[in-house]
Amino acid sequence: MIGASTEYDVLVAGGGNAALCAAISARRAGASVLVVEAAPRFYRGGNTRHTRNMRCAHDAATETLSGPYFEDEFFDDLLRVTGGNTDEDLARMMIAESKRMLTWIAEQGVRFQPSLGGTLSLGRTNSFFLGGGRAMLNALYRTAESLGVEVVYDAEVVGLDIEGPQFRSARVRHAGRETAVRARTFVAASGGFEANIEWLKEGWGEIADNFLIRGTPYNRGTVLKMLINSGVRHIGDPTQCHAVAIDARAPKFDGGIITRLDCVVFGIVVNKHAERFYDEGEDVWPKRYAIWGRLVAAQPDQIAYIVFDASSLELFMPSLFPPVQASTLGELAGKLGIEATALERTVAAFNDAVRPGHFDHTSLDDCRTEGIEPQKSHWARRIEQAPFYAYPVRPGITFTYLGVKVDRRARMVMEDGRPADNMFAAGEIMAGNVLGQGYAAGIGMTIGSVFGRIAGREAAALVSSTCPSSEAA
């Protein structure tokens, strides 16, 4: 059942990082808070369950970060991956606020592990959660509940009562019945619509049937659609999303980070016709891994194959499934179901184009190709040492960028340009304000944490200015 009271200062829809940061922030400011999470308790947390790290600006090395990552560099990285398709004011504000987040998150019980080096190239820029995303979630839930935040699972928001720019109540389905939950403020932190295949088809067409959803099956965009239909301004392209190349053998939903493949830079990627179609060594992997989902989506039947040899097998983090292995390229092609002569021809042409250099998998080295399209800018080595390996990959959608527009106070913006009276948003449901396209590792968690904390703080301040509540425990 919904908690003892059906009227709260702050109602938070969602149960991941953004929702919990909002709930904790609001509760610490004295507001009564109810969190309604559509998923069962075991699957709580949306896509946060599958995360590993967050990207925050910092001015010096720390116990878990190998060096400084200044605000301007963070912004330059964001501009590069988005192609400038970002709200600069909101982005710069988020980056400035991110400097406080590592300390604040730690104060909520989240622990970090020492920085990682090697092929991820994130030891200086990103902080990794000790125990991963689920451990982070467990810490935030413990803190929220100890403060008196009420949490209800299997509780889906199925209706919103919104009059003009003002939220009145939400209709929540739980335990076989629907309950009207009234609240003075509303925070939408319920994710995007990536698990709604029919909605994906509206932008992508029928090829969306071949997409795998590496995140939660509960992000169907129900709250997002209701907000847009109620006059909240939307932002973003329905085809833009965080999409990576994941193992084609992964489940349709919830495969998570263990199905991601980080070996693209060490080989070549070919489509079902054994043709290469993009520069596999364009940039360091954390700045390019999230383009490969879209690239594979543009290939025939939305399938591709990462091909490499024995010299690269130990250079990357293994995924859930073992690679396909063969003693010859022809045998490998047969196991993949592609034409052997075509694969042998593509690999031969690639090998002929490789120019000698000093191979360094930890940096942008000088191993490249010449006279071939597409070129491979870095980490180009001949594929010739048996056994040969391949991973089949499909587009893996993590979250979508179409969302609601917000301002610096995380208030939703209505179609007429006015800020909503008492509605706020955080996380993937508003990520399109910062991410118009592209992605860099850890930014999703930054968006959720920063805007979640702001949304909770602003919601509590609004409540306090109109109807003071009891102080938080």
Side-chain angles (χ1 to χ4, degrees):
M1 301 293 291
I2 299 296
S5 170
T6 55
E7 185 167 7
Y8 296 84
D9 292 333
V10 183
L11 172 64
V12 180
N17 168 55
L20 292 172
C21 287
I24 291 170
S25 178
R27 185 63 185 142
R28 287 196 181 280
S32 61
V33 182
L34 172 66
V35 172
V36 289
E37 162 65 294
R41 188 182 190 280
F42 182 80
Y43 291 106
R44 68 184 182 182
N47 291 329
T48 304
R49 287 187 293 117
H50 299 306
T51 61
R52 291 188 296 190
N53 61 81
M54 65 187 300
R55 180 180 295 252
C56 293
H58 48 277
D59 293 334
T62 71
E63 292 181 356
T64 57
L65 290 161
S66 62
Y69 186 47
F70 298 115
E71 292 181 40
D72 285 344
E73 183 183 359
F74 191 158
F75 184 68
D76 286 345
D77 285 342
L78 179 61
L79 282 183
R80 188 175 302 111
V81 298
T82 62
N85 191 356
T86 185
D87 182 317
E88 180 172 348
D89 181 57
L90 283 180
R92 287 192 178 277
M93 184 274 291
M94 179 200 75
I95 291 169
E97 288 283 328
S98 77
K99 294 175 73 171
R100 305 176 181 89
M101 285 311 303
L102 292 179
T103 300
W104 188 84
I105 285 285
E107 289 170 351
Q108 313 318 314
V110 176
R111 297 176 64 190
F112 295 100
Q113 68 183 44
S115 60
L116 299 183
T119 59
L120 285 173
S121 307
L122 295 173
R124 182 175 60 86
T125 60
N126 289 42
S127 294
F128 283 73
F129 309 121
L130 182 63
R134 189 179 284 275
M136 182 221 191
L137 274 172
N138 290 342
L140 292 179
Y141 271 104
R142 279 194 300 270
T143 296
E145 290 168 347
S146 72
L147 291 171
V149 172
E150 294 183 40
V151 180
V152 182
Y153 301 105
D154 291 300
E156 182 182 8
V157 176
V158 295
L160 294 174
D161 180 5
I162 297 172
E163 294 183 13
Q166 189 165 63
F167 168 83
R168 301 291 188 184
S169 66
R171 199 165 70 253
V172 180
R173 182 182 296 140
H174 173 68
R177 56 175 291 184
E178 292 184 8
T179 303
V181 180
R182 297 186 63 83
R184 295 180 178 88
T185 59
F186 177 62
V187 178
S190 49
F193 63 91
E194 64 275 3
N196 189 331
I197 303 300
E198 293 306 310
W199 195 347
L200 288 177
K201 285 182 178 180
E202 292 179 15
W204 287 93
E206 294 302 313
I207 68 171
D209 276 331
N210 288 329
F211 295 174
L212 301 176
I213 313 306
R214 65 193 289 255
T216 175
Y218 298 96
N219 281 6
R220 297 184 53 80
T222 306
V223 172
L224 171 61
K225 182 158 286 188
M226 288 188 293
L227 289 169
I228 293 172
N229 291 341
S230 297
V232 177
R233 180 178 295 180
H234 68 271
I235 189 170
D237 181 336
T239 68
Q240 289 293 338
C241 53
H242 181 292
V244 304
I246 69 172
D247 199 299
R249 298 165 290 183
K252 182 67 173 178
F253 295 99
D254 230 5
I257 200 163
I258 57 173
T259 61
R260 195 180 89 189
L261 292 163
D262 292 334
C263 53
V264 166
V265 297
F266 300 119
I268 61 173
V269 184
V270 300
N271 60 22
K272 63 180 288 187
H273 302 304
E275 299 167 337
R276 292 178 62 237
F277 52 89
Y278 198 79
D279 181 349
E280 300 91 350
E282 185 177 39
D283 203 344
V284 292
W285 187 235
K287 295 179 183 178
R288 283 295 178 268
Y289 79 99
I291 70 171
W292 279 91
R294 296 183 67 85
L295 292 171
V296 175
Q299 299 308 304
D301 294 337
Q302 294 69 59
I303 187 76
Y305 306 92
I306 306 168
V307 178
F308 56 98
D309 70 8
S311 67
S312 297
L313 183 62
E314 303 295 329
L315 295 179
F316 56 89
M317 189 176 298
S319 67
L320 176 63
F321 301 95
V324 179
Q325 178 180 337
S327 58
T328 68
L329 287 170
E331 180 189 357
L332 184 67
K335 290 184 175 182
L336 299 177
I338 61 180
E339 186 180 337
T341 56
L343 180 61
E344 290 167 344
R345 184 168 56 249
T346 294
V347 172
F350 174 80
N351 286 347
D352 288 344
V354 171
R355 295 296 174 262
H358 176 68
F359 178 76
D360 181 357
H361 69 279
T362 67
S363 65
L364 293 172
D365 69 10
D366 60 352
C367 294
R368 58 188 175 83
T369 61
E370 286 184 1
I372 192 172
E373 288 295 331
Q375 67 174 345
K376 186 172 182 182
S377 302
H378 305 282
W379 311 295
R381 296 192 296 172
R382 293 172 61 88
I383 299 172
E384 58 187 2
Q385 182 179 333
F388 300 95
Y389 299 93
Y391 283 104
V393 292
R394 287 198 180 276
I397 311 300
T398 312
F399 66 93
T400 47
Y401 293 174
L402 176 70
V404 296
K405 185 170 177 57
V406 299
D407 64 12
R408 292 172 62 95
R409 294 166 58 185
R411 295 179 299 182
M412 298 184 205
V413 176
M414 307 305 291
E415 277 291 1
D416 61 8
R418 292 181 298 163
D421 288 350
N422 61 347
M423 295 188 292
F424 305 85
E428 294 170 4
I429 199 170
M430 49 66 61
N433 290 268
V434 175
L435 293 170
Q437 66 184 55
Y439 193 76
I443 286 182
M445 292 296 287
T446 314
I447 294 171
S449 299
V450 168
F451 284 95
R453 185 185 183 196
I454 292 172
R457 182 178 68 210
E458 293 293 328
L462 179 62
V463 169
S464 179
S465 68
T466 57
C467 183
S469 179
S470 60
E471 291 187 1

